[in-house]
């Protein structure tokens, strides 16, 4: 069996659709052309009517003049005009004129006997097209009753009136046709100029690489093209945010999982170095708990990434900040003791409420304490880290302060950007910028503010998170 052509081949054989400029030009010019044709038909009818009226009035005047010279002589109707007078009355430079005078009984009184007599009921006059000598003549029939009933017929050829009608239509419709052509040329140029930015926009998108999500430059000549360009640029901006959120999510996962994975590895190494099955069970339980914590962390990070991508606020609720600080300090206390760092907390004796998301708040505490333990030592003797909670100027301020080498003021803002390196990264250690960038992002999602400063007395580094004050929730 011969192979059958598939769908795309059939579609490829179809002619391409018209361009927007061609479609607009066709949409505008087609009604104009139809309107012009209808106007030409109306103009022709009007011109024909008034031209006919003019020539017919002249025929009626000639018939009335002939009828005025019909007399009753010896009981018979006679036309008392000589041939020369008749030629003078019916003289026409371009047309051939015929006439006849018929009595009521059909007797020819004067003129062409071949001109037929009209109906008696056509009074007082009637215009008609009559055949004569293989020609069609325009005729007027005038009926008179004095001195006796008779009919005067005057007919003439129609070449003059047809020529006048053609000239009238020529000089009337030709300028209109010329104006229509000029209008078509002007519309083609104007429509082409107005749709040219669309072609420029198409070429800009065709020549762009897949990684280039910068705004598309356009020279919009109309509001519609400007709106289309703005919509495309807004789409590119949303795609850029989505891609950045995906990259940030991958970086967040890699950064946040480092601590639980290191803890799992340490627990596994400790268990492998012991021979007691009870120790193995204890370490396996700790590994399972760490794995559950790591899984929950990944799920929370995914929720954060989706919320950041959609630019939607998370569901915030009252959280006891003092309890969260206490749990975080206890969680890192063993690591701090092993590193010889004095880790303490201030301002957690009384209940302090903030509006936050527990997962993000825990991520802020983990990142700040982890950064302080990694990069905050070495400046003071002995190394010390203080996590404090205090009320200040209508805000609840969470601060983590170390007595390390600190960071110059002009470089502190760079640490809040993802992947901060350079002198700031060399001072505190590679990777610190990622943790602080996460803290800044988490704070922004909870409508809090992050501030970086140098400690007044010890010269260490301080990171503050300022939350709005919220009343205590009902019991």
């Amino acid at each position: 069996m011969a192979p059958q052509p598939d769908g795309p081949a059939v579609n490829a054989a179809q002619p391409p659709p018209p361009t927007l400029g061609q479609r607009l030009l066709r949409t505008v010019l087609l009604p104009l052309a139809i309107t012009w044709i209808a106007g030409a038909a109306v103009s022709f009818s009007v011109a024909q009517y008034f031209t006919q009226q003019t020539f017919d009035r002249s025929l009626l005047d000639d018939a009335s003049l002939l009828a005025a010279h019909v007399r009753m002589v010896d009981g018979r109707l006679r036309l008392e005009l000589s041939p020369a007078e008749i030629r003078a009355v019916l003289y026409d430079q371009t047309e051939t004129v015929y006439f006849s005078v018929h009595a009521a009984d059909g007797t020819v009184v004067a003129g062409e006997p071949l001109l037929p007599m009209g109906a008696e009921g056509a009074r007082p006059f009637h215009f008609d097209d009559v055949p004569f000598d293989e020609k069609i003549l325009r005729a007027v029939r005038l009926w008179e009753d004095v001195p006796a009933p008779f009919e005067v017929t005057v007919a003439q050829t129609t070449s003059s009136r047809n020529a006048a009608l053609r000239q009238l239509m020529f000089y009337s419709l030709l300028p209109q046709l010329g104006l229509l052509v000029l209008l078509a040329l002007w519309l083609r140029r104007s429509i082409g100029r107005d749709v040219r930015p669309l072609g420029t926009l198409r070429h800009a998108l065709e020549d762009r690489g897949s990684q280039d999500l910068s705004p598309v430059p356009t020279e919009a000549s109309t509001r519609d093209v400007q709106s289309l360009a703005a919509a495309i640029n807004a789409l590119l901006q949303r795609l850029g945010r989505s891609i950045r959120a995906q990259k940030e999510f991958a970086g967040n996962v890699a950064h946040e999982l480092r601590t639980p994975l290191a803890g799992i590895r340490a627990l596994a190494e400790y268990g492998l170095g012991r021979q007691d099955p009870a120790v193995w069970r204890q370490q396996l339980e700790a590994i399972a708990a760490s794995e559950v914590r790591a899984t929950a962390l990944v799920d929370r990070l995914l929720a954060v990434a989706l919320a950041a991508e959609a630019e939607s606020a998370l569901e915030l609720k009252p959280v006891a900040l003092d309890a969260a600080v206490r749990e975080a300090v206890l969680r890192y206390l063993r690591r701090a003791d092993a590193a010889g760092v004095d880790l303490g907390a201030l301002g957690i004796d009384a209940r302090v409420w903030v509006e936050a998301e527990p997962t993000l708040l825990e991520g802020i505490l983990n990142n700040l304490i982890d950064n302080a333990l990694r990069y905050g030592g070495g400046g003071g003797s002995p190394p010390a880290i203080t996590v404090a909670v205090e009320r200040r100027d209508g805000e609840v301020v969470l601060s983590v302060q170390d007595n390390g080498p600190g960071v110059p003021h002009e470089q502190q803002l760079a640490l809040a950007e993802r992947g901060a390196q350079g002198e700031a990264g060399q001072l505190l250690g590679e990777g610190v910028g990622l943790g602080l960038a996460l803290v800044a992002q988490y704070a922004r999602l909870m409508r809090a503010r992050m501030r970086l400063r140098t400690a007044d007395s010890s010269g260490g580094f301080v990171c503050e998170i300022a939350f709005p004050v919220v009343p205590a929730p009902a019991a």
Side-chain angles (χ1 to χ4, degrees):
M1 180 180 294
Q4 298 295 326
D6 54 5
V10 174
N11 293 335
Q14 296 178 354
T19 63
L20 179 59
Q22 294 173 344
R23 188 68 177 268
L24 290 175
L25 194 62
R26 183 186 307 170
T27 303
V28 174
L29 286 183
L30 185 59
L32 284 178
I34 295 176
T35 303
W36 180 82
I37 293 174
V42 173
S43 299
F44 179 80
S45 300
V46 172
Q48 185 181 31
Y49 173 78
F50 285 104
T51 303
Q52 197 88 301
Q53 287 287 317
T54 301
F55 282 90
D56 286 350
R57 178 58 60 182
S58 177
L59 280 179
L60 182 58
D61 291 342
D62 293 342
S64 299
L65 186 57
L66 292 177
H69 290 81
V70 175
R71 301 286 187 270
M72 180 67 71
V73 179
D74 299 331
R76 297 180 60 184
L77 293 172
R78 293 178 63 91
L79 178 60
E80 294 185 344
L81 288 175
S82 65
E85 292 174 335
I86 293 176
R87 286 195 298 271
V89 170
L90 303 180
Y91 174 76
D92 193 292
Q93 293 182 348
T94 58
E95 300 291 356
T96 303
V97 182
Y98 305 92
F99 81 98
S100 66
V101 179
H102 289 84
D105 59 359
T107 305
V108 177
V109 177
E112 296 289 342
L114 297 181
L115 282 176
M117 184 178 177
E120 183 179 350
R123 297 187 179 187
F125 60 88
H126 174 68
F127 294 99
D128 195 8
D129 294 330
V130 297
F132 179 78
D133 195 17
E134 299 181 355
K135 292 178 291 197
I136 299 297
L137 305 180
R138 182 65 175 174
V140 60
R141 304 182 189 276
L142 177 62
W143 186 267
E144 295 288 348
D145 293 326
V146 178
F150 67 93
E151 180 188 79
V152 177
T153 301
V154 179
Q156 67 176 181
T157 56
T158 59
S159 58
S160 295
R161 66 178 67 195
N162 293 337
L165 181 61
R166 285 194 300 268
Q167 290 180 358
L168 181 61
M169 294 303 299
F170 178 80
Y171 290 110
S172 173
L173 298 182
L174 186 61
Q176 297 182 25
L177 181 60
L179 290 176
L180 183 63
V181 173
L182 292 178
L183 179 60
L185 296 176
W186 181 81
L187 286 175
R188 181 178 180 182
R189 181 179 179 183
S190 299
I191 292 175
R193 183 178 63 251
D194 289 338
V195 301
R196 190 176 299 116
L198 291 177
T200 304
L201 182 62
R202 177 175 61 85
H203 289 304
L205 293 176
E206 287 178 348
D207 299 338
R208 175 165 294 210
S210 59
Q211 302 299 324
D212 186 4
L213 297 178
S214 60
V216 179
T218 56
E219 296 180 359
S221 58
T222 61
R223 186 182 304 173
D224 296 330
V225 178
Q226 186 178 11
S227 301
L228 176 61
I232 292 177
N233 287 332
L235 175 61
L236 293 177
Q237 187 177 8
R238 292 194 298 270
L239 289 176
R241 287 199 301 266
S242 176
I243 292 175
R244 286 195 301 271
Q246 293 175 6
K247 292 181 179 179
E248 290 178 2
F249 172 70
N252 294 351
V253 171
H255 180 82
E256 296 285 6
L257 288 183
R258 181 177 59 187
T259 299
L261 290 179
I264 291 175
R265 183 175 65 247
L267 292 172
E269 290 176 352
Y270 180 82
L272 291 175
R274 300 294 185 271
Q275 300 297 327
D276 188 0
V279 176
W280 293 348
R281 180 177 181 83
Q282 182 182 8
Q283 297 304 105
L284 288 175
E285 290 177 352
I287 289 174
S290 298
E291 188 277 332
V292 172
R293 186 179 183 84
T295 302
L297 179 61
V298 172
D299 293 337
R300 293 193 297 266
L301 285 174
L302 181 59
V304 171
L306 292 176
E309 179 181 353
E311 291 294 334
S312 60
L314 296 177
E315 183 179 356
L316 305 181
K317 59 183 180 180
V319 178
L321 181 59
D322 57 297
V325 170
R326 184 181 296 107
E327 293 176 2
V329 170
L330 292 176
R331 192 161 54 246
Y332 283 90
L333 192 58
R334 180 179 300 179
R335 175 180 166 186
D337 291 340
V341 177
D342 182 12
L343 176 61
L346 297 176
I348 61 174
D349 298 331
R351 183 68 72 193
V352 179
W353 295 95
V354 294
E355 195 172 46
E357 204 282 324
T359 301
L360 299 186
L361 182 59
E362 181 181 347
I364 287 177
L365 289 168
N366 288 341
N367 276 286
L368 291 181
I369 297 176
D370 179 73
N371 276 344
L373 288 174
R374 289 177 180 273
Y375 313 113
S381 180
I385 298 174
T386 302
V387 183
V389 177
E390 59 180 324
R391 291 179 179 269
R392 186 193 309 164
D393 297 331
E395 295 178 329
V396 176
V397 180
L398 167 66
S399 63
V400 178
Q401 175 180 342
D402 60 57
N403 59 350
V407 179
H409 177 72
E410 61 273 8
Q411 298 178 10
Q412 290 176 1
L413 294 178
L415 291 176
E417 300 178 359
R418 177 170 297 275
Q421 299 298 332
E423 296 181 4
Q426 294 172 3
L427 285 171
L428 294 184
E430 184 178 358
V432 65
L434 181 58
L436 289 179
L438 290 176
V439 171
Q441 181 183 13
Y442 295 169
R444 179 179 60 83
L445 292 174
M446 293 189 295
R447 296 194 291 271
R449 294 181 295 110
M450 185 183 79
R451 296 191 293 258
L452 304 177
R453 63 180 177 86
T454 301
D456 298 334
S457 58
S458 62
F461 183 68
V462 182
C463 180
E464 296 179 344
I465 308 297
F467 294 91
V469 175
V470 296

